[in-house]
Amino acid sequence: MKTFKQLITLFFVLFSGQVFSANNGFIIQNVSGRNTQSLNGKWNYIVDPYENGFYNYRLIPFDETENPGNGAFFMDKKQTDKSELIEYSFYDSPTLNVPGDWNSQEEKLFYYEGTVWYRRLFGYKKMAKNNRVFVHFGAANYESHVYLNGKKLGKHIGGFTPFNYEITDLLKDEGNSLVVKVDNKRKKEAVPTVNTDWWNYGGITRDVNLVEVPETFIQDYSVQLKKGGKNEIAGFVQLNGSAKNATVKITIPELKLTVDAKADSTGKAEFSLKAKKIDYWCPENPKLYAVEISNNDNTITDKIGFRTIETKGTDILLNGKSIFLRGICIHEENALRGGRAYSMSDAQMLLNSAKELNCNYVRLAHYPHSENMVKLADEMGILVWEENPVYWTIQWNNPETYENAKQQLTDVITRDKNRASVIIWSMANETPVSEVRTNFLKNLAAVARNLDGTRLISAALEIHSEKDPNERIVQDPFAEYVDIVNFNQYIGWYDGLPELCDKVKWTIKYDKPVMISEFGGSALQGKHGDALTRFSEEFQEDLYDRTLKMLSKIPQFRGVSPWILYDFRSPRRMLPNVQDGWNRKGVIGENGTKKKAFFVLKNFYNEMEKKGLK
Ligand code: GCB
């Protein structure tokens, strides 16, 4: 039986007209190419481990009472009358930098997993009366509830993808209060789930911007070489606003191409352009063309490269030519500064190190990295693997978990579909084989192909052995659904000693290109010993040497991304004086010093490049 009070509460939830969504149902394409006002900087914060600002003392969320957003609203109060009872207040509370994780900014929050409330006050004057304004978050880990001036805008789930809310009607010229509850508690049903091997950094980890657009604006666009074509650039422009049937213009001045396309009743305008001669994007020539998209007074400029990527038998073809992917895995962390990487200079530091290794490819593990990474990869000519955070053992049977994974995949594809550098969408990492798992991944792969038929699908799979102790078998039903068979293997580290590499025989029965998405072993930078001394640079060096020789014997070997560029923080790695909270498999140490294995890999890549397999 429901109590009277519960019924009243239910009534308010159902009839208060309170509508909030994950992200307004869409994300705005290319925010940095628009009129923005940054909300980066110092935000006041309140640590709230018991979630007092979210639940009342009967543990009913304020959002479900007659005063949605009440908790956030109370926190936003200032003590003006000395007799008034106030127990929480953003006024006089300390500040955190946004973007940035809280763990690396405040010692007390180093291991914290829970809720932190953020608040930022701002004024805003629109440039034109009829314009619309959105607040856009690059990412916040993991669950965010956003309120403006005491009104709830929405809730977003997922730590690595962008979201935005329209705030046109709530905005004031002065004294706006933007409050965000960010909660990074790990949950079984979440994506990723409770068990990972990286630091669960919490906070508003990427840029926050106000974005001002005309009443009808260009919400999204896709400009790419048409699949199967070499000279046809095709795509769509999605308008948002009342003038849905308007005409949009797409221009590529350097190619002397321009076309007008009329939008349909949903605001979508499809177009196609025939070019005479395109200078194709590739690592040796990362050519980007300025592309202008306009609709009345809304013009957006992007820099877009054109290239083809496909597989043929066991080859990966970039612009029709066979390529070998000289890669490295990267976590989104700046070991030198400490904490989550987010800025363009973080991206430069990470991708410059990859370039020093003579890489032409990076695997951005294990979740979507910041947009700065893929924009810079476009400019530097580095091919990219992007990954959905479906890691190890998520709840394959849970429909909400599937919807969550699907949403995160959809959002990263929406965000990065115009980046020439991105060639692979990865569905998952090291997931245990079962029928439900395979169906889950199969469905995700279908979503990815439907959203973007021009790129390759893969996943980091696992290997196994049967009777022969020296045989390693790659056989996973999901391999049928990918374009490139990628697998992780740790022969010589978790599986025997490095000399085992010399004996292993591979059984891989797929007529597809094969890549090794991970291999490696740990070394504490500066620790020396012989090649059998665990955690020494010499052990790791020998392991790299033997592994690369072993992998080179696989006939359809078309690329590799060893684990990993830099040492990274992980709460699973607590061995005193060696790990101390760091996974030491980096070829570069936490202080930026290269380990011996770095040079083994670099030499291997130099040789591969010389051999002509680019
Ligand atoms: C793996 C995982 C990666 C781990 C790595 C390790 O297979 O994909 O996330 O960090 O092994 O160091 O064991």
Side-chain angles (χ1 to χ4, degrees):
M1 265 297 281
K2 286 193 160 48
T3 63
F4 180 69
K5 197 161 178 200
Q6 279 172 327
L7 285 173
I8 291 285
T9 303
L10 194 65
F11 173 84
F12 274 106
V13 176
L14 295 177
F15 301 107
S16 60
Q18 170 200 349
V19 242
F20 48 80
S21 68
N23 58 10
N24 270 156
F26 59 85
I27 44 182
I28 300 175
Q29 181 64 232
N30 189 14
V31 163
S32 59
R34 302 183 185 251
N35 290 318
T36 56
Q37 175 176 308
S38 171
L39 292 182
N40 290 350
K42 304 247 178 253
W43 289 50
N44 290 96
Y45 75 95
I46 297 170
V47 185
D48 188 14
Y50 284 20
E51 301 187 291
N52 248 323
F54 195 73
Y55 296 102
N56 68 15
Y57 82 122
R58 296 294 188 223
L59 212 64
I60 297 172
F62 288 112
D63 287 349
E64 292 175 18
T65 67
E66 54 273 40
N67 288 311
N70 226 356
F73 177 73
F74 282 141
M75 287 187 185
D76 218 6
K77 280 192 119 182
K78 195 176 186 167
Q79 185 117 36
T80 42
D81 168 2
K82 66 181 177 173
S83 68
E84 194 184 8
L85 176 62
I86 285 186
E87 294 192 271
Y88 293 88
S89 175
F90 281 112
Y91 293 89
D92 304 322
S93 49
T95 58
L96 282 170
N97 288 323
V98 171
D101 62 84
W102 60 60
N103 317 69
S104 66
Q105 292 190 57
E106 168 57 55
E107 213 183 331
K108 271 188 268 173
L109 298 178
F110 185 63
Y111 282 109
Y112 183 68
E113 294 184 304
T115 283
V116 170
W117 291 87
Y118 283 77
R119 188 200 63 179
R120 168 78 200 238
L121 298 175
F122 65 93
Y124 192 80
K125 289 204 175 62
K126 284 204 284 189
M127 290 178 290
K129 198 168 146 267
N130 290 330
N131 278 359
R132 295 161 69 186
V133 182
F134 290 80
V135 59
H136 178 278
F137 295 81
N141 191 32
Y142 167 83
E143 181 174 310
S144 311
H145 295 250
V146 185
Y147 308 80
L148 183 70
N149 300 333
K151 274 256 188 249
K152 184 149 192 177
L153 301 175
K155 161 181 161 182
H156 180 262
I157 288 180
F160 304 97
T161 41
F163 52 101
N164 47 247
Y165 303 103
E166 179 156 11
I167 57 171
T168 313
D169 296 338
L170 293 173
L171 207 55
K172 303 181 289 187
D173 283 358
E174 292 300 331
N176 294 289
S177 167
L178 182 60
V179 171
V180 188
K181 172 190 192 289
V182 184
D183 183 359
N184 72 334
K185 267 196 297 300
R186 287 167 295 129
K187 291 180 186 164
K188 277 210 145 168
E189 68 278 14
V191 183
T193 182
V194 283
N195 201 19
T196 74
D197 185 20
W198 67 82
W199 209 266
N200 179 28
Y201 290 111
I204 305 178
T205 50
R206 294 185 192 152
D207 296 331
V208 185
N209 278 294
L210 297 174
V211 190
E212 181 166 342
V213 294
E215 192 277 322
T216 296
F217 73 99
I218 296 159
Q219 172 194 307
D220 192 10
Y221 54 85
S222 168
V223 184
Q224 297 187 58
L225 268 191
K226 192 173 175 178
K227 192 168 170 74
K230 280 197 176 142
N231 291 313
E232 188 174 352
I233 296 167
F236 67 84
V237 177
Q238 177 67 52
L239 295 174
N240 183 311
S242 60
K244 289 215 168 60
N245 284 112
T247 298
V248 291
K249 189 186 273 305
I250 300 101
T251 310
I252 309 177
E254 204 182 326
L255 290 173
K256 299 196 176 59
L257 292 176
T258 184
V259 67
D260 286 332
K262 193 166 170 358
D264 63 17
S265 59
T266 67
K268 188 169 184 176
E270 303 206 1
F271 70 89
S272 149
L273 289 158
K274 290 250 166 56
K276 282 215 180 72
K277 194 176 175 322
I278 298 173
D279 196 4
Y280 295 112
W281 185 100
C282 65
E284 298 73 32
N285 174 41
K287 169 71 189 169
L288 300 175
Y289 288 95
V291 177
E292 285 165 24
I293 299 159
S294 56
N295 159 52
N296 294 330
D297 41 356
N298 190 196
T299 298
I300 300 180
T301 308
D302 205 339
K303 285 190 284 178
I304 299 182
F306 303 107
R307 52 104 193 96
T308 61
I309 189 78
E310 61 203 313
T311 62
K312 193 169 169 211
T314 58
D315 281 333
I316 302 169
L317 306 180
L318 177 70
N319 299 322
K321 283 192 226 118
S322 181
I323 186 168
F324 181 87
L325 301 182
R326 310 187 304 267
I328 191 77
C329 289
I330 301 181
H331 257 302
E332 189 171 48
E333 192 176 66
N334 183 334
L336 308 185
R337 188 197 57 228
R340 256 278 174 268
Y342 52 81
S343 64
M344 193 44 103
S345 70
D346 290 338
Q348 273 156 354
M349 173 237 160
L350 292 165
L351 293 183
N352 283 338
S353 297
K355 268 272 170 180
E356 265 197 76
L357 264 175
N358 195 11
C359 288
N360 61 5
Y361 162 69
V362 290
R363 173 182 176 209
L364 302 183
H366 282 301
Y367 38 74
H369 290 212
S370 97
E371 210 172 341
N372 291 321
M373 281 295 267
V374 284
K375 287 204 163 172
L376 187 62
D378 259 17
E379 280 174 21
M380 288 175 70
I382 299 180
L383 297 158
V384 172
W385 149 310
E386 289 211 85
E387 186 162 328
N388 209 25
V390 174
Y391 184 91
W392 290 351
T393 52
I394 66 164
Q395 291 187 340
W396 309 109
N397 271 317
N398 184 339
E400 278 179 27
T401 300
Y402 175 75
E403 285 307 315
N404 179 346
K406 180 179 155 190
Q407 190 63 49
Q408 296 194 50
L409 180 66
T410 302
D411 289 347
V412 68
I413 294 176
T414 302
R415 191 192 72 178
D416 292 341
K417 61 183 171 298
N418 295 312
R419 303 283 72 87
S421 54
V422 178
I423 53 165
I424 298 171
W425 300 122
S426 170
M427 300 300 108
N429 179 75
E430 288 186 351
T431 52
V433 175
S434 74
E435 208 183 321
V436 277
R437 187 277 339 220
T438 303
N439 281 336
F440 190 110
L441 298 187
K442 226 169 85 180
N443 292 338
L444 284 183
V447 168
R449 287 198 198 279
N450 185 36
L451 286 168
D452 175 15
T454 71
R455 290 180 175 81
L456 306 175
I457 303 283
S458 199
L461 305 175
E462 291 186 321
I463 60 172
H464 70 278
S465 299
E466 284 169 10
K467 283 181 208 124
D468 180 350
N470 293 332
E471 187 191 20
R472 294 294 175 278
I473 304 166
V474 184
Q475 196 174 30
D476 181 319
F478 187 58
E480 300 293 342
Y481 300 93
V482 300
D483 298 304
I484 304 177
V485 176
N486 263 281
F487 61 88
N488 297 352
Q489 66 81 28
Y490 283 88
I491 298 165
W493 183 255
Y494 295 124
D495 175 6
L497 287 170
E499 61 179 25
L500 179 57
C501 295
D502 311 347
K503 297 183 210 146
V504 160
K505 288 174 289 184
W506 291 96
T507 302
I508 310 175
K509 289 190 187 140
Y510 298 102
D511 182 33
K512 296 185 180 191
V514 165
M515 288 175 52
I516 290 68
S517 32
E518 281 178 34
F519 78 80
S522 296
L524 178 64
Q525 185 274 315
K527 179 178 164 72
H528 296 286
D530 61 18
L532 282 173
T533 307
R534 284 267 178 188
F535 294 108
S536 71
E537 288 197 34
E538 288 71 15
F539 189 112
Q540 191 192 35
E541 178 187 36
D542 182 50
L543 175 64
Y544 264 66
D545 190 42
R546 289 175 195 259
T547 304
L548 291 166
K549 287 192 179 113
M550 167 182 75
L551 299 178
S552 299
K553 290 184 203 145
I554 299 175
Q556 60 278 55
F557 180 44
R558 292 296 178 274
V560 57
S561 48
W563 190 254
I564 185 171
L565 186 59
Y566 278 83
D567 287 357
F568 61 97
R569 282 200 186 276
S570 170
R572 296 171 70 86
R573 311 288 173 176
M574 289 304 182
L575 188 67
N577 306 322
V578 176
Q579 296 176 320
D580 297 316
W582 292 82
N583 183 316
R584 297 287 182 199
K585 294 193 187 69
V587 290
I588 307 179
E590 83 191 72
N591 60 0
T593 306
K594 298 177 181 88
K595 304 178 195 173
K596 289 186 155 187
F598 181 98
F599 300 98
V600 177
L601 187 60
K602 186 179 166 85
N603 287 340
F604 176 75
Y605 285 162
N606 290 346
E607 288 303 312
M608 291 306 279
E609 195 182 18
K610 259 196 242 148
K611 272 196 208 159
L613 283 167
K614 300 259 158 122

